[in-house]
């Protein structure tokens, strides 16, 4: 199921599938959540899989300023909460 969540002033797109222990998939630079689709399907057999599009990739719009590792890390920490 495709979803979007607002975290602060950021709109984060993600998919969620499966049941079980939560697992978050995070794509590499220049990719999006579809890159990890095969892993998502296999992991969903045992996990609730959250497959995110980082801001500026896939269906998530670009952030309003330039982001570094710290901003992406904080976003995922807030997403987990």
């Amino acid at each position: 199921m495709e979803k979007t969540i607002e975290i602060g002033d950021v709109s984060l797109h993600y998919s969620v599938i499966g049941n079980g222990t939560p697992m978050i998939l995070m794509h590499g630079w220049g990719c999006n959540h579809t890159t990890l689709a095969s892993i998502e399907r296999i992991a969903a057999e045992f996990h609730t899989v959250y497959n995110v599009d980082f801001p500026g990739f896939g269906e998530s719009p670009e952030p309003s300023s330039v982001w570094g590792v710290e901003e992406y890390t904080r976003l995922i920490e807030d997403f987990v909460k």
Side-chain angles (χ1 to χ4, degrees), residues 8-52:
D9 64 348
V10 175
S11 181
L12 183 69
H13 176 265
Y14 66 100
S15 63
V16 61
I17 185 173
N19 292 299
T21 306
M23 173 187 285
I24 299 174
L25 298 180
M26 297 176 280
H27 61 78
W29 198 256
C31 300
N32 62 46
H33 80 282
T34 62
T35 306
L36 301 173
S38 60
I39 296 168
E40 177 184 50
R41 282 190 302 275
I42 293 167
E45 294 179 28
F46 306 100
H47 300 278
T48 302
V49 180
Y50 299 87
N51 191 357
V52 302

